[in-house]
Amino acid sequence: MKDGFISVAAGTPKIRVADCRYNAEQIFTLMREADKQGVKVLALPELCLTGYTCGDLFLQDTLLQGAEEGLQTILEATRNLDIVTALGLPVWDKWDNKLYNCAAVIQKGEILGLVPKAYLPNYGEFYEQRWFASGHGVEHGIELCGQHMSLCTNQTFACDTMPNLVIGVEICEDLWAPAPPSVELARKGATVILNLSASNELVGKADYRRSLVTGQSARLMCGYVYADAGEGESTTDVVFAGHNLIAENGTLLAERRFATGLTVSEIDVDRLVHDRRRTNTFTIGREPPEIWRVSFSLPAEETRLTRYVSPSPFVPEDDAGRAERCEEILRIASLGLKKRLEHTNARTAVVGLSGGLDSTLALLITALAMGMLNRPASDIIAVTMPCFGTTARTRSNAELLAERMGATLKVVDISQAVRRHFADIGQSMENHDVTFENGQARERTQVLMDIANQTGGLVIGTGDLSELALGWCTYNGDHMSNYAVNASIPKTLVRHLVAYLARDNAEKDQALHDVLEDILDTPVSPELLPAVQGQISQRTEDLVGPYELHDFFLYYMLRWGFPPRKIYRLAVYALGKTYSRDVILKWLKTFYRRFFSQQFKRSCLPDGPKVGSAALSPRGDWRMPSDASAALWMAELETLE
C-alpha cells in the first residue's frame, strides 16, 4: 500500500441458485485466493450468497435464514484475512419489517456495515420491487450474525493506515440511475467505489456497461470496481456473463467477461486525491448529506504492481490512437497560430530552421496554419543560420525541407557575426564554454527577430515542453519568440508528430517524405560545438539524459504531483528492461535539479497553445517561484541510493 497503490479485485464465484451453503464455500474460497494474490479490497456480485435469480424464493424464511447462516460461515472462515470484501445478500430488517438487497462489507470476521440498494429496477426482465424495499433514506442500526452494524446507503469505509483509501458501495442499478449514490459518497471522500452487480448479458450491453463504469470513474475521479454475476445464475430467461471491470479516473485497468474467478489490478488512491485537490470544482455545489464513516485497518506494506504502466505516457501505443492524437495536436497548435497571425495582421511567419526535429515540427505547424488562412506557404520565411557546429546533413535537410514545403528560404551564415562579437567581448574561439554556445543561440534569435521586423512578421518558437522542463535552451536565445507552437509538446511526441506527417506525405510528395525521415534519423543536437569530421559532436541526450526518461519523469511529476520515490519506482517498473536502476536514478536527480534551477526561463515564456494535460506556461498550468528550493526533493532522492 506504499506509494498510494491498493490491490483490488472484482470476483465472480460459480454459484448454485438458493444453495447458500455451497455459495458460502465458493465465496470464502475466492476470498482466500484473492488474499493469496495480495488483494486488499474485493467486490463480489449482487446477491451472490443466494443467487440473484431466486425469484419468489426471496420471500421464503428458509432462504433468508440460509443467507444469514452462509454469511456467518464466511465470517468464521475468513476471520484471519485482512482483505476487505463486499458481498451481496438479502437482509430482512426486523425493525421495519422490510427486505433489502444489501452489500455486506466484511473484514476479519466482522461486518463493518450493510449498504442497501437504492434504485430497484422494475422494468423489462427486472422486477426487484416485488421482493425488496428501496434503501433510500434508511439510516439505522441492525443486528445480523450476532453483530450490530449500520444499515445505510450513506456510509463509507475508511482505512486508518492508508488515509486516502476510502471505500463507497453501490449496487448494480444504482450506477444506471440519474443520481447514483456514488456521487455523494465520492464528494464525501470515497476514492474507491465498489459496485455489486447482477447485470444480464445482451448484445451491445457490454459496451454500454463499460462506458458507464469508466465514465463514472472519470466524473468522480475515483477507482471503480464492478463485480458482475455469472455462471450458476438461472438461465430461465436471461444469461449472466460475469462482466467484471476495474477503472481509474476514466481509464479501464482490467476487464473480464464470460468467466468466473478474479479480475485484479491496482488503484492509485494518492493520484486520485491529487486530481481532486487540483480540480477545485469537485466539491462545489450543494452540501452532500452527512455520511457515516466506518474505520478499518490494513497492514502497511508495498503493493505488488500488475497494472500496465506505459513507458511513454505522452504517446498512445496503438497505431490508431497515436494517429488520432497526432491529428488533434496538429490541429490545436495550428489553430492557435492561425488566430495569432490573424490578430497581429502578420505578413509573414519567420521560422529558424536547423534541420532538427523541433524546428521541423514548427515549420509543419506553421504551414498548416497558413493553409487554414488560405495563404501561400511562401509567406513563411524559413531561415537557416549555419555556424561552427552545423553539419552538411542538417543544413541540407533544412534547405530541402523549406523547398519542398514551398517556404521562402533565407540562408544567413552567422559565423562571422559571432566571431566579431566574441572578439568584442574577449571570448576565445578555443574556449568552448557556455558563452561560446549561448552566443550563437542569441545571435540566431537576433537574426530571426530582425527579419520578422523587416517583413512585418512573427518569430515562431521551436522549443518543446521537454526542453522547457530541463531548461535546455538559451535564455533570451532560442528560449524567446513571438509565439511558441511547440511549447506544450514533449520531445517523445514531437518525433511521432513528424513521423505522422512523413507517412501522410509518402504518396503525395516522396521527396518531402524522404527528408522528414532523414530528420527523424538525425541525432538530437543544438549543434553549438564544432563538428568533428563533418559529424555532430554534441548529442543532447548524452548531456542531459534520454528524453524517454525525462518525459516519463515530467508526466508523473507535473500532471500527477508524484514524489521522487514514487516516480523512481514506476520508472523502474516501466523502463527497467531498458535502463538500469542506477541510470534511472542518475537522470531523475538531473531532472529535479534542472527543473528547479531553470524555472527562471519558464517564468517569462512567450505565448503558445496548450495541447495536452501537462504544460508549463507561467500564465496557466505552472506558477512556481524562480527561487524555490529543491532541497526536499533532492533529499528524498538521496534516500533512494
Side-chain angles (χ1 to χ4, degrees), residues 319-332:
D319 292 342
R322 191 162 54 247
E324 182 181 3
R325 178 74 55 85
C326 289
E327 186 64 30
E328 277 191 314
I329 289 173
L330 291 168
R331 285 185 178 275
I332 293 169

Side-chain angles (χ1 to χ4, degrees), residues 353 393-406 409 511-512 515:
L353 201 57
R393 180 184 187 182
T394 52
R395 177 172 178 172
S396 173
N397 281 340
E399 293 173 356
L400 283 171
L401 180 61
E403 176 190 334
R404 299 313 305 174
M405 294 296 296
L409 176 66
L512 176 58
V515 71

Side-chain angles (χ1 to χ4, degrees), residues 40 45 67 80 104 116 133 156 160 183 209 226 238 284 313 359 388 433 439 475-476 499 538 565 568 572 575 597:
K40 299 302 180 186
N80 294 322
T156 57
D160 291 335
V183 173
R209 188 186 297 119
Y226 185 95
V238 294
I284 291 177
S359 63
F388 313 127
D433 61 2
Y475 189 82
N476 210 32
Q538 186 183 27
R565 180 183 301 277
Y568 174 65
V572 170
L575 291 153
S597 67

Side-chain angles (χ1 to χ4, degrees), residues 431-450:
N431 183 8
H432 297 165
D433 61 2
V434 66
T435 306
F436 183 87
E437 296 187 42
N438 287 349
Q440 298 170 68
R442 292 194 181 100
E443 176 62 24
R444 286 185 171 119
T445 299
Q446 176 177 274
V447 169
L448 294 172
M449 290 289 182
D450 288 347

Side-chain angles (χ1 to χ4, degrees), residues 177-191:
S182 54
V183 173
E184 304 300 349
L185 295 173
R187 291 185 67 208
K188 278 296 188 178
T191 50

Side-chain angles (χ1 to χ4, degrees), residues 66-79:
E68 184 169 356
E69 291 173 356
L71 180 57
Q72 183 64 48
T73 298
I74 293 168
L75 294 172
E76 292 172 357
T78 61
R79 64 175 59 257

